[in-house]
Amino acid sequence: MLAACGNEPETLDLRGRTMGTSYSVRIVAPPGDSPVALEALRQRVAARLEGLDSLFSTYRPDSEVSRFNAQPGVEWFGVSPDFLAVLEQSVSVSQLTGGAFDATVGPLVVLWGFGAGETSERIPDPEEVGRLLQATGSAHLQWRESPPAVRRTRPDVRLDFSAVAKGYAVDRIWELLSEAGLQAYLVEVGGEVRSRGRHADGRDWSIGIENPDGSGVAGAVPLRDAAVATSGDYRNFFEHGGRRYSHVIDPRTGWPVAHNLASVTVVSPTAARADALATALLVLGPVAGMELAEHEEIAALLAVRADEGIEVVRSSAYQAFIGD
Ligand code: ADP
Ligand code: MG
């Protein structure tokens, strides 16, 4: 057990791997008489993340989402409260964005070679895309709360929470730390972040947003009890015939997004919402994405590929947030 001692707050770091990526938690430990049981906390954080990965991993055949997808019929399927919460968050963002975000996009993700395991790097048969589109859309989902259960209207509907699960995990760890009595910390899973309180030295937490072309930092977000998530077409894509095919699929067409929007960063009260909205705005593209951000007062920073490098566009809510 490690304890923060002395009269000055001390910063403690927890790190590890989860959901196919890394996580980090930075805690400002309270000084003096309230020692932090770091090892116990580390284990609780790791166990909670492992539990969430065992629900949402599309790479694990025994995960809750994989079992939902593999069941044969259209009967009610009992799920965990976390599963239902992520489903509700997904459907809510789907409705807000006219279906740009859609957790039923999984079969198209697989068809385009971005699913668990294989990467095909080929253009699929348009008829196959059309066939899978028929099983896409949150209208194919029904759910109930007690006991939590989900049902699909057709047996070929599949769920994929990859675009929201990391953000959701950040929120759950944020809560766990809050319930442990901590007042100041930063939680990050795979680049999605949520903060509470301030740095040990009293400054706000600040998150750097990297340029999509890796050429440095596009800006810094001062995070005061808020979350930030980024979705980009630059980390996971393939090129074919001079075009770039991203792992983010437009659920309205069944094709990967193919516009000049390189990345979207969203600031929101919760990381799950920031994560889902970042993916949705990436699908919508620079024009419709910014329109929606203005209309719904979403704090968004869009990095657009222009002739001369990357052009950064900020929504009004984003500007208000960073105090411009
Ligand atoms: P990253 O994993 O790079 O953080 P995202 O949060 O944008 O990126 O999630 C991308 C993943 O979400 C894809 O790999 C795919 O599994 C899934 N996905 C792709 N398109 C959509 C979409 N339109 N709506 C919801 N999920 C999507
Ligand atoms: Mg996302």
Side-chain angles (χ1 to χ4, degrees), residues 99-103 105 109 114 160-164 166 190 192 230-232 235-236 247-251 275 278-279 282-283:
F101 182 92
D102 203 312
V105 82
V109 172
F114 295 111
D160 174 353
F161 293 128
S162 308
V164 60
K166 281 179 287 174
E192 327 299 15
T230 297
S231 187
R235 264 190 235 120
N236 194 351
H247 71 142
V248 174
I249 308 282
D250 187 335
D275 195 0
T279 302
L282 189 73
V283 168

Side-chain angles (χ1 to χ4, degrees), residues 23-241:
Y23 71 85
S24 64
V25 178
R26 174 156 276 217
I27 298 166
V28 179
D33 55 357
S34 53
V36 172
L38 180 63
E39 191 49 39
L41 204 55
R42 188 196 309 281
Q43 281 173 20
R44 283 177 62 199
V45 167
R48 186 72 169 105
L49 289 171
E50 163 57 24
L52 292 170
D53 190 56
S54 78
L55 301 182
F56 300 125
S57 174
T58 52
Y59 291 80
R60 293 164 70 157
D62 62 339
S63 71
E64 193 166 36
V65 74
S66 294
R67 285 186 291 107
F68 175 86
N69 288 338
Q71 55 162 329
V74 295
E75 302 307 314
W76 283 103
F77 183 91
V79 295
S80 61
D82 285 314
F83 191 102
L84 193 67
V86 169
L87 183 104
E88 286 178 337
Q89 178 71 251
S90 299
V91 173
S92 140
V93 172
S94 188
Q95 284 165 349
L96 183 75
T97 61
F101 182 92
D102 203 312
T104 63
V105 82
L108 287 159
V109 172
V110 173
L111 181 70
W112 281 94
F114 295 111
E118 82 294 353
T119 36
S120 57
E121 308 224 342
R122 62 174 185 88
I123 308 299
D125 176 4
E127 269 181 39
E128 183 68 357
V129 172
R131 203 176 60 76
L132 296 186
L133 267 181
Q134 311 219 312
T136 304
S138 35
H140 296 301
L141 298 170
Q142 296 168 358
W143 62 94
R144 63 181 188 211
E145 305 222 335
S146 49
V150 181
R151 154 167 208 267
R152 53 192 177 186
T153 58
R154 1 182 329 155
D156 53 352
V157 173
R158 302 275 180 283
L159 288 170
D160 174 353
F161 293 128
S162 308
V164 60
K166 281 179 287 174
Y168 183 80
V170 167
D171 290 332
R172 298 294 72 79
I173 299 304
W174 189 97
E175 252 173 31
L176 186 159
L177 298 176
S178 167
E179 282 157 15
L182 297 166
Q183 310 268 341
Y185 46 85
L186 191 73
V187 181
E188 176 260 340
V189 177
E192 327 299 15
V193 181
R194 184 168 167 188
S195 73
R196 182 166 197 219
R198 290 166 181 244
H199 261 290
D201 62 8
R203 280 179 300 135
D204 282 327
W205 300 105
S206 173
I207 309 300
I209 302 168
E210 63 178 8
N211 265 332
D213 57 4
S215 67
V217 174
V221 195
L223 267 200
R224 303 170 198 119
D225 294 325
V228 61
T230 297
S231 187
D233 75 349
Y234 52 95
R235 264 190 235 120
N236 194 351
F237 64 91
F238 70 85
E239 279 173 329
H240 184 97

